[in-house]
Amino acid sequence: MSTWTACVNRELHRTPPRHLSYGDPRGLRELREAVSSYLRSARGVNCTPDQVLIVAGSQHALSLCLEVLVDPGGEVWVEDPGYFGTQGAVRASGAQLVPVPVTTEGIDVEYARSRAPNARVAFVTPARQLPLGMTMSLNRRLALLSWAADAESWIVEDDYDSEFRYTSRPLGALQGLDREQCVLFTGTFSKVLFPAIRLGYLVVPESVADAFIAARHFNGFSCPYLEQAALARFMNEGHFERHVRRMRSLYGARRDMLLTSVGRYLRGRAQPGVADGGLGVVLWLQHGDSEDAIAATSHRFGVELLPLGRMTVAHATAPGFFLGFGGLPETEIARGVRVLAKALEEYDRKRRAAV
Amino acid sequence: MSTWTACVNRELHRTPPRHLSYGDPRGLRELREAVSSYLRSARGVNCTPDQVLIVAGSQHALSLCLEVLVDPGGEVWVEDPGYFGTQGAVRASGAQLVPVPVTTEGIDVEYARSRAPNARVAFVTPARQLPLGMTMSLNRRLALLSWAADAESWIVEDDYDSEFRYTSRPLGALQGLDREQCVLFTGTFSKVLFPAIRLGYLVVPESVADAFIAARHFNGFSCPYLEQAALARFMNEGHFERHVRRMRSLYGARRDMLLTSVGRYLRGRAQPGVADGGLGVVLWLQHGDSEDAIAATSHRFGVELLPLGRMTVAHATAPGFFLGFGGLPETEIARGVRVLAKALEEYDRKRRAAV
């Protein structure tokens, strides 16, 4: 925060008068350059600064994509289970939600093609499926690209937290495999920095860049100058890269604590899902367990749980919870898992009594 | 700018950790309080802080209103001539534009009722019609409110620059007359402060507040913390009111210079329209003058003009230009009018030669 504050302070005292005006609807040039060079090297994204739009976070990017790419009533593939922010944005836009199940390789493209071959957009999380955590396989990526090319449709790659990978180098972006210019790529600074900065990015194919600029002009969303200038400086001076490295090690330790605690207190009762990256992991329960009853018990004990059912539209998974560990110190994580173990004991006791 | 910078600086160094997170989708509480008390006293707006949404400027507010209040294909009244940002936002939203002529009393409600009685929204500029400058009469305000009550429709009052009134106290907001909770009221800090701050406000009736909050949640655009906190401080410490007073006198002098110069250099050839407020005034040409030919000549002489035709959808006005004077020092204003006088001479000479 002190480095960030210093960057803001520097820009605050040297704002050129021309930057007090409306500015480029795509966002500040310096920041678009910094983002495009970061995405090229860190994520293998193919883009120039002119394809980068600075947005107010990834939810804003998803909503812009819907506005520009989908007419009312148009079909949109979403992962099921998936992020409720995506599902909600699709519904709010007047488009038609097509929930698509997820296999160990990622979104089930074959299912989706049989169900809604002419969908206009597919929203996907290839780096780490939200919430299940698996990486989309290469075969699945190629199948998805091939569908988009055939249907002349779009893929929106939501790269929401790929900065944090603990056990292996992250797979490059799906966008980097795109030969047909049909992939849009979005990410946010909300998680890697902090949400109140309200900054993220959307990389669009050249063919639709003008349509996005026009949409932003008329919907009036652009980001203030100061945070953009400060972030460009923060990135250009190398602070961003150092921050990501430091946070990766901090979050990695939290993830390890979560896995260790689950192994210690929940062994045989619940087990973690894929946990090689990100800021949250699924905890799988046993067949027949009631997510809601366990969450209610745990809530009484002071621990809030997010049932997978809340992230599901039509394709129920086995019962489980999505556990976020990014915002909790290690001692709190261990305590939370112990509380959850007690809640599960109470739940099991009551269920035995009822039988 | 130095006072503003000091306010930002103060907030920058005392941001509480809770304000680093996502924040209230309506905007920062402190700023909503400051805005609501300012609007109550300065504009006679009836509202609580809970009805105020902090937005990224008035274009953003207009677009939000369209998203929440109008289904695709729904009819929307806009003033003709009027602001192209409003016309563009209506078209971009998929709603149907109903251009309504403007009389000396403001938007022609009778015409609009005969043409599209069931429109969902009327976008109006009661304080000072953009671009013609007249204030909407009380009768017209009551007629508009009565239509909205009958049709169960909405009025969006765009109060884009009413801070600057030179010859009389501004009439209160139309919103203040609203007994049926059908008026939404919007304004921006882009003009009274500077555009790169990306802040404005939208006051909504209580009955639709939740719908607006939901829409903002899913379209993901909320404003960063820092500018909001700094602006709340700037307003609460009285700087805002002082700034408005100072700018009113500065812009008033620019307006006087424009009117004096027009009187001196264009007498008998062109005459100014209503000029008791705002940052721009219409310059009326003579019957048969070609706005575009005069603008082209003037462009060659180095002065850019905005023809009224560019702000017109279906109801042509007499020929004229909208002259913005807010951003120009007085000497530049005088020089611009002299250049325009030369351009008109050349235009007249050529036209005589062609006859």
Side-chain angles (χ1 to χ4, degrees):
Chain A
M1 279 312 294
S2 67
T3 309
W4 170 251
T5 300
C7 288
V8 175
N9 211 26
R10 283 288 292 278
E11 297 301 330
L12 179 61
H13 289 94
R14 58 178 287 282
T15 305
R18 71 192 159 89
H19 283 314
L20 297 177
S21 192
Y22 287 92
D24 190 317
R26 289 170 296 191
L28 189 68
R29 174 90 202 169
E30 291 80 347
L31 181 55
R32 289 187 287 117
E33 283 167 352
V35 166
S36 101
S37 100
Y38 165 69
L39 293 180
R40 267 181 277 132
S41 73
R43 305 292 298 122
V45 170
N46 270 323
C47 67
T48 67
D50 286 344
Q51 291 173 263
V52 175
L53 304 174
I54 302 302
V55 295
S58 53
Q59 186 74 40
H60 181 203
L62 301 181
S63 156
L64 263 176
C65 290
L66 285 160
E67 184 183 347
V68 175
L69 305 176
V70 188
D71 285 330
E75 291 175 315
V76 174
W77 295 0
V78 298
E79 296 170 335
D80 186 19
Y83 176 48
F84 27 67
T86 309
Q87 297 160 3
V90 173
R91 287 189 167 116
S93 77
Q96 204 180 323
L97 199 67
V98 179
V100 180
V102 172
T103 74
T104 51
E105 293 191 69
I107 189 169
D108 190 338
V109 176
E110 207 173 320
Y111 172 99
R113 283 191 87 144
S114 72
R115 182 76 171 251
N118 297 313
R120 299 321 308 140
V121 177
F123 284 102
V124 289
T125 52
R128 227 174 63 75
Q129 204 274 333
L130 181 64
L132 302 184
M134 76 285 278
T135 300
M136 191 185 296
S137 70
L138 183 60
N139 275 341
R140 206 51 74 79
R141 289 174 189 230
L142 296 174
L144 189 59
L145 288 167
S146 149
W147 162 74
D150 293 350
E152 298 185 358
S153 298
W154 306 95
I155 299 166
V156 178
E157 177 173 21
D158 183 355
D159 201 60
Y160 62 103
D161 72 357
S162 65
E163 295 84 2
F164 305 119
R165 188 96 184 179
Y166 311 116
T167 54
S168 57
R169 215 184 127 66
L171 207 63
L174 169 61
Q175 197 266 9
L177 297 173
D178 179 19
R179 301 266 167 275
E180 309 282 338
Q181 299 271 304
C182 60
V183 178
L184 297 89
F185 179 92
T186 177
T188 179
F189 292 102
S190 292
K191 291 174 201 305
V192 65
L193 296 173
F194 56 94
I197 194 176
R198 305 314 305 134
L199 288 174
Y201 41 82
L202 174 64
V203 179
V204 304
E206 277 167 18
S207 61
V208 287
D210 283 346
F212 274 86
I213 292 171
R216 296 200 73 177
H217 186 78
F218 287 120
N219 68 28
F221 297 156
S222 55
C223 301
Y225 168 77
L226 187 59
E227 283 82 357
Q228 295 188 75
L231 181 53
R233 173 180 289 273
F234 192 80
M235 294 178 87
N236 290 335
E237 292 183 352
H239 306 304
F240 182 75
E241 219 171 308
R242 276 192 293 278
H243 176 71
V244 170
R245 273 202 303 274
R246 201 180 313 156
M247 297 311 283
R248 191 181 289 137
S249 123
L250 184 139
Y251 292 139
R254 290 177 180 180
R255 180 202 73 135
D256 293 347
M257 174 56 87
L258 180 63
L259 296 180
T260 306
S261 305
V262 166
R264 182 172 304 159
Y265 302 110
L266 297 174
R267 185 183 303 276
R269 183 64 188 84
Q271 60 178 15
V274 186
D276 51 3
L279 302 172
V281 59
V282 167
L283 184 73
W284 294 109
L285 300 170
Q286 287 169 358
H287 180 73
D289 276 345
S290 159
E291 291 173 351
D292 287 337
I294 295 167
T297 307
S298 174
H299 169 76
R300 278 192 289 111
F301 291 2
V303 166
E304 300 302 325
L305 295 168
L306 177 59
L308 288 182
R310 305 260 174 91
M311 306 178 88
T312 297
V313 181
H315 303 94
T317 61
F321 297 113
F322 184 71
L323 306 182
F325 56 78
L328 295 172
E330 291 170 45
T331 51
E332 284 294 292
I333 292 170
R335 198 183 63 80
V337 174
R338 287 198 306 273
V339 169
L340 176 53
K342 275 189 205 149
L344 279 167
E345 275 169 33
E346 167 139 339
Y347 168 81
D348 288 340
R349 196 159 46 234
K350 280 195 181 159
R351 203 156 62 154
R352 277 193 305 271
V355 172
Chain B
M1 280 313 294
S2 67
T3 309
W4 170 252
T5 301
C7 287
V8 175
N9 211 27
R10 283 289 290 279
E11 297 300 330
L12 180 61
H13 290 94
R14 59 178 286 282
T15 305
R18 70 191 161 91
H19 284 313
L20 296 177
S21 191
Y22 287 92
D24 190 316
R26 289 171 297 190
L28 189 68
R29 174 93 202 166
E30 291 81 346
L31 182 55
R32 289 187 287 116
E33 283 168 352
V35 166
S36 103
S37 99
Y38 166 70
L39 293 179
R40 268 183 274 129
S41 73
R43 305 291 299 122
V45 171
N46 271 323
C47 67
T48 66
D50 286 343
Q51 291 173 261
V52 176
L53 304 174
I54 302 302
V55 296
S58 53
Q59 187 73 41
H60 180 202
L62 302 180
S63 155
L64 264 176
C65 290
L66 286 160
E67 183 183 347
V68 174
L69 305 175
V70 188
D71 285 329
E75 290 173 316
V76 174
W77 296 359
V78 298
E79 296 170 335
D80 185 20
Y83 176 48
F84 25 68
T86 309
Q87 297 160 2
V90 172
R91 288 191 167 114
S93 76
Q96 203 180 321
L97 199 67
V98 179
V100 180
V102 173
T103 75
T104 51
E105 294 190 66
I107 189 169
D108 190 337
V109 176
E110 209 174 317
Y111 171 98
R113 283 191 88 144
S114 73
R115 183 76 172 251
N118 297 313
R120 300 320 308 137
V121 177
F123 284 102
V124 289
T125 52
R128 226 174 64 75
Q129 205 274 332
L130 182 64
L132 302 184
M134 77 286 278
T135 300
M136 192 185 296
S137 71
L138 183 60
N139 276 341
R140 206 52 74 77
R141 289 173 190 231
L142 296 174
L144 189 59
L145 287 166
S146 149
W147 161 74
D150 294 350
E152 299 187 357
S153 299
W154 306 95
I155 299 166
V156 177
E157 177 172 20
D158 183 355
D159 201 59
Y160 63 103
D161 71 356
S162 65
E163 295 85 2
F164 304 119
R165 189 97 184 178
Y166 310 116
T167 55
S168 57
R169 216 184 126 68
L171 208 62
L174 170 61
Q175 197 266 9
L177 298 172
D178 178 20
R179 301 267 167 273
E180 310 282 340
Q181 299 270 306
C182 59
V183 178
L184 297 90
F185 179 91
T186 177
T188 179
F189 292 103
S190 293
K191 290 171 202 307
V192 66
L193 296 172
F194 56 94
I197 194 176
R198 304 314 305 135
L199 288 175
Y201 42 82
L202 173 64
V203 179
V204 303
E206 278 168 16
S207 61
V208 286
D210 284 347
F212 275 86
I213 292 170
R216 295 199 73 176
H217 185 77
F218 287 120
N219 69 29
F221 194 93
S222 56
C223 301
Y225 167 76
L226 187 59
E227 284 83 357
Q228 295 188 74
L231 181 53
R233 173 180 289 273
F234 192 80
M235 294 179 87
N236 290 335
E237 293 183 353
H239 306 305
F240 182 74
E241 220 172 306
R242 276 193 292 279
H243 176 70
V244 169
R245 273 202 304 273
R246 201 179 315 157
M247 297 310 283
R248 192 181 289 136
S249 121
L250 184 140
Y251 292 139
R254 289 178 180 179
R255 179 202 74 134
D256 293 346
M257 174 57 88
L258 179 63
L259 296 180
T260 307
S261 305
V262 166
R264 182 172 305 161
Y265 301 109
L266 297 174
R267 186 182 302 275
R269 184 64 188 83
Q271 59 180 15
V274 187
D276 50 3
L279 302 173
V281 61
V282 167
L283 184 74
W284 293 109
L285 300 170
Q286 287 171 357
H287 180 72
D289 278 344
S290 159
E291 292 172 350
D292 287 337
I294 296 168
T297 308
S298 174
H299 169 76
R300 277 192 290 113
F301 291 3
V303 166
E304 300 302 323
L305 294 168
L306 177 60
L308 287 181
R310 306 259 173 93
M311 307 179 87
T312 297
V313 182
H315 302 94
T317 61
F321 297 113
F322 184 72
L323 306 183
F325 55 79
L328 295 172
E330 291 170 46
T331 51
E332 283 294 292
I333 292 171
R335 199 184 63 81
V337 174
R338 286 199 306 272
V339 169
L340 176 53
K342 275 190 206 148
L344 279 166
E345 275 169 34
E346 166 139 341
Y347 168 81
D348 288 341
R349 196 161 42 236
K350 279 195 183 160
R351 203 157 60 154
R352 278 194 303 271
V355 172

